């Protein structure tokens, strides 16, 4: 879709038919950098690098140096410079924007995002035209440029597997905590039922023994930690 002068998204339908390799790469206005890194999962897996060919207010966020070298063409640099402060970000990605909650959400889906401020003058619109033209023709450019060596593809795949493993560990830990809470809930129901059957005197003895067991358990944990 043509984005007009608002944030635009170009979804590349049929990731397997777009004929270029998976990767995440962004050029961003430094004023937007922290918010983007905090808000977008895909950019959290990139590194931030200043580039001597870009204006001082802009930076790149690639998964690998080789991606920057392929993507940062003279035409793109000139378009970013022309847009100036109206430029916010150009993001090429195949990863989710929101942090995945399950490993299955890490599936590759290729998209391109362009975000611009609304120019206040006709001259501002004209200055932004090159970056919009670049955005609209980006699919062909990616098919031509975005092909990595086996070494780079293995590096990207390995880094993403690390993220998947971290996610799976979090999921497993959460499930274990849920199981623990459920076991404790069932144990409490059973304990309360047993306690209810006892006389007041026996209830007191039961609670005293329970308290004693908890104290011994706590002391044992303290000794092991020490």
């Amino acid at each position: 879709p043509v984005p007009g002068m608002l944030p635009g998204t170009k979804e590349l339908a049929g990731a397997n038919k777009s004929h270029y390799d998976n990767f995440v790469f962004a050029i961003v206005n430094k004023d937007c950098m922290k918010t983007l890194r905090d808000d977008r999962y895909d950019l959290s897996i990139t590194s931030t690098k200043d580039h001597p060919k870009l204006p001082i207010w802009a930076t790149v966020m690639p998964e690998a140096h080789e991606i920057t070298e392929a993507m940062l063409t003279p035409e793109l640099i000139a378009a970013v410079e022309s847009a100036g402060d109206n430029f916010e970000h150009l993001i090429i990605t195949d990863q989710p924007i929101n942090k995945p909650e399950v490993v299955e959400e890490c599936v590759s889906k290729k998209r391109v995002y362009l975000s611009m401020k609304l120019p206040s003058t006709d001259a501002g619109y004209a200055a932004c035209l090159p970056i919009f033209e670049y955005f609209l023709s980006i699919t062909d450019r990616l098919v031509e440029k975005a092909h990595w060596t086996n070494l780079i593809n293995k590096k990207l795949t390995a880094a993403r597997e690390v993220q998947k493993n971290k996610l799976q560990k979090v999921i497993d830990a959460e499930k274990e905590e849920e199981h623990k809470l459920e076991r404790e809930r069932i144990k409490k129901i059973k304990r309360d039922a047993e306690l209810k059957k006892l006389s007041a005197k026996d209830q007191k003895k039961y609670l005293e023994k329970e308290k004693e067991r908890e104290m011994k358990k706590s002391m044992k944990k303290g000794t092991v930690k020490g």
Side-chain angles (χ1 to χ4, degrees):
V2 179
M5 284 298 176
L6 294 173
T9 305
K10 194 177 184 70
E11 187 168 313
L12 307 179
N16 294 329
K17 299 177 182 178
S18 55
H19 303 298
Y20 72 88
D21 294 337
N22 294 331
F23 71 104
V24 179
F25 171 80
I27 303 178
V28 303
N29 188 313
K30 290 180 179 178
D31 289 343
C32 308
M33 185 173 61
K34 186 180 185 304
T35 300
L36 287 171
R37 187 172 287 283
D38 290 344
D39 292 350
R40 294 186 60 124
Y41 167 79
D42 51 3
L43 293 186
S44 73
I45 68 173
T46 67
S47 58
T48 303
K49 303 283 185 182
D50 283 345
H51 197 284
K53 293 182 180 179
L54 282 173
I56 194 169
W57 49 264
T59 191
V60 291
M61 300 175 75
E63 282 189 272
H65 171 73
E66 291 81 359
I67 294 173
T68 299
E69 295 309 299
M71 292 294 100
L72 200 58
T73 61
E75 187 177 358
L76 177 54
I77 294 168
V80 170
E81 288 178 336
S82 177
D85 288 342
N86 289 319
F87 176 83
E88 292 187 333
H89 64 254
L90 174 69
I91 301 170
I92 305 167
T93 184
D94 73 298
Q95 292 294 289
I97 297 175
N98 298 319
K99 187 174 182 179
E101 295 184 0
V102 293
V103 173
E104 289 74 17
E105 291 178 358
C106 296
V107 64
S108 174
K109 185 178 180 182
K110 294 171 180 173
R111 303 168 312 284
V112 183
Y113 298 88
L114 174 65
S115 181
M116 303 283 292
K117 293 177 184 175
L118 196 66
S120 57
T121 64
D122 290 344
Y125 277 88
C128 291
L129 187 59
I131 193 66
F132 282 113
E133 290 176 341
Y134 193 95
F135 174 74
L136 293 173
S137 65
I138 201 165
T139 304
D140 292 338
R141 299 172 189 274
L142 291 171
V143 170
E144 179 186 355
K145 295 281 187 180
H147 301 282
W148 321 127
T149 64
N150 288 336
L151 183 62
I152 296 303
N153 278 320
K154 285 180 180 179
K155 179 181 176 181
L156 299 185
T157 299
R160 292 165 185 222
E161 285 301 316
V162 168
Q163 295 298 321
K164 288 181 183 179
N165 291 337
K166 286 181 181 178
L167 175 60
Q168 190 60 55
K169 285 181 180 180
V170 170
I171 293 170
D172 292 344
E174 289 175 349
K175 285 182 179 178
E176 178 55 33
E177 182 64 20
E178 288 175 3
H179 292 157
K180 180 183 176 182
L181 292 173
E182 180 61 16
R183 289 193 298 269
E184 289 177 352
R185 187 185 70 84
I186 293 171
K187 183 179 178 181
K188 186 177 185 301
I189 291 173
K190 183 178 178 181
R191 174 257 196 195
D192 290 347
E194 291 177 354
L195 196 59
K196 194 174 182 180
K197 295 176 184 177
L198 301 176
S199 65
K201 184 178 179 180
D202 289 339
Q203 283 183 4
K204 184 178 180 182
K205 288 181 180 179
Y206 185 103
L207 293 171
E208 286 175 350
K209 286 183 179 180
E210 185 179 67
K211 185 177 180 181
E212 186 179 338
R213 284 195 301 270
E214 290 299 321
M215 287 180 66
K216 286 181 178 179
K217 190 184 294 184
S218 179
M219 290 175 65
K220 187 176 180 181
K221 285 183 178 178
T223 302
V224 171
K225 288 180 180 179

